[in-house]
Amino acid sequence: MHFYSSYLVRVSRSLIVSVGLLALIISTGCGSSNWSAPQAAPSVAEVAARVVTGGSIPQVLLFVGTGTSSGAVAATKTILGNLKLTYATATSSQLNAMSQATMKSYKLFLMPGGDAITISKNLNKTTTTNLHNAIVNDGLHYLGICAGGFFAGSSGIYSYLNLTPAGVWFNYYADEFKGIHKEAVEVRGGDGVTLDQYWENGPQFSGWGQVVGKYPDGTPAITEGKSGKGWVILSAVHPEATQSWRTGMNFTTSVAVDNAYAQTLVTAALNGTSLPHF
């Protein structure tokens, strides 16, 4: 399984405390397998034309640009298809060419797994500012999965979205610093239900939002909250993962159950509804 994680930090917790922000912003990758499946979606140009003419706009804008994992994109498309949601896809160049007015015409912007640093390096500052403003000022909703969660936070070097009001940056989940880079991890929900979820170099979201799901050590694995007018859900784990991602790992939760939870996250993000939280 190919995985985009360019700058892994393997240092002790004491060094993380002393180095602080620099250690985190150098390492923000997560991803998935390269499984793929075809699915049609309107082009960004077609959507822009519909904005001008008053035509029907897809509900979701799915980012598929440089730095995203092809497997994460494909699995996310499957979830959107199962929900029968209309969506458009945007590459890095297409998103760079998109105005804030076009961005806010969607209900949900979905950033899948991949490498947050590479994603940010291929989006210009105007683009991330437009996307930030479309969410915070105009009420576009945001769902970030793994790298999409990192990308929602703050960075002193890279052009992230800074959707956290206090400028919070997100660190890795603790198992990263134990030399574990992918595993089945138990995530306990605010409703008391525990699901085994696929995790690969994902963050933890201490310092922002209502906690929807917790890792075994109690740190936030899934969070939700308002960012200005926008509704934001961040998931450090991959509930959209397919069976092929699970090779060599033991899960007590079936793919179908985890994928159903992915649908729950998408639906809640799309509609701006709160999930059970702690």
Side-chain angles (χ1 to χ4, degrees):
M1 179 184 300
H2 182 68
F3 178 77
Y4 302 95
S5 181
S6 302
Y7 304 94
L8 296 180
V9 177
R10 297 181 177 90
V11 292
S12 66
R13 285 182 177 273
S14 62
L15 183 57
I16 287 296
V17 171
S18 63
V19 176
L21 176 64
L22 181 60
L24 174 72
I25 56 181
I26 292 174
S27 54
T28 51
C30 73
S32 53
S33 75
N34 287 318
W35 179 87
S36 62
Q39 182 132 1
S43 70
V44 172
E46 290 171 333
V47 172
R50 293 176 192 179
V51 172
V52 173
T53 61
S56 176
I57 307 299
Q59 297 159 290
V60 179
L61 180 59
L62 172 64
F63 184 69
V64 299
T66 304
T68 59
S69 161
S70 61
V73 168
T76 303
K77 286 181 177 181
T78 297
I79 297 299
L80 295 174
N82 290 342
L83 287 168
K84 295 179 170 43
L85 294 176
T86 57
Y87 67 92
T89 59
T91 64
S92 300
S93 60
Q94 288 172 328
L95 196 64
N96 283 332
M98 188 180 292
S99 67
Q100 182 179 327
T102 301
M103 292 176 182
K104 73 178 184 180
S105 66
Y106 297 92
K107 290 186 66 177
L108 173 66
F109 184 90
L110 204 163
M111 179 65 79
D115 185 320
I117 292 174
T118 303
I119 289 169
S120 70
K121 285 183 174 180
N122 286 274
L123 296 176
N124 60 48
K125 180 59 178 177
T126 299
T127 300
T128 53
T129 298
N130 284 343
L131 184 55
H132 170 96
N133 290 342
I135 295 165
V136 174
N137 298 335
D138 300 324
L140 174 66
H141 297 169
Y142 180 90
L143 173 59
I145 301 174
C146 199
F150 278 124
F151 187 66
S154 298
S155 169
I157 294 178
Y158 302 106
S159 184
Y160 289 174
L161 290 180
N162 194 20
L163 298 179
T164 55
V168 175
W169 54 269
F170 299 126
N171 208 337
Y172 280 115
Y173 171 49
D175 281 8
E176 180 77 18
F177 305 108
K178 300 174 184 177
I180 301 169
H181 303 298
K182 60 181 178 179
E183 63 180 333
V185 65
E186 289 186 349
V187 175
R188 180 166 60 93
D191 56 2
V193 176
T194 298
L195 301 177
D196 274 357
Q197 297 279 6
Y198 181 90
W199 173 88
E200 189 169 350
N201 296 343
Q204 53 90 0
F205 299 118
S206 294
W208 181 82
Q210 296 283 349
V211 180
V212 173
K214 291 183 177 181
Y215 286 115
D217 67 356
T219 54
I222 303 169
T223 54
E224 66 177 19
K226 294 284 286 184
S227 184
K229 295 181 180 179
W231 184 246
V232 176
I233 295 180
L234 307 178
S235 176
V237 293
H238 290 272
E240 82 282 7
T242 66
Q243 183 64 47
S244 64
W245 300 20
R246 295 184 170 203
T247 303
M249 289 173 273
N250 295 318
F251 286 77
T252 60
T253 306
S254 69
V255 170
V257 169
D258 281 349
N259 286 177
Y261 188 71
Q263 294 184 34
T264 297
L265 292 182
V266 171
T267 301
L270 178 71
N271 295 321
T273 54
S274 183
L275 295 166
H277 52 261
F278 292 90

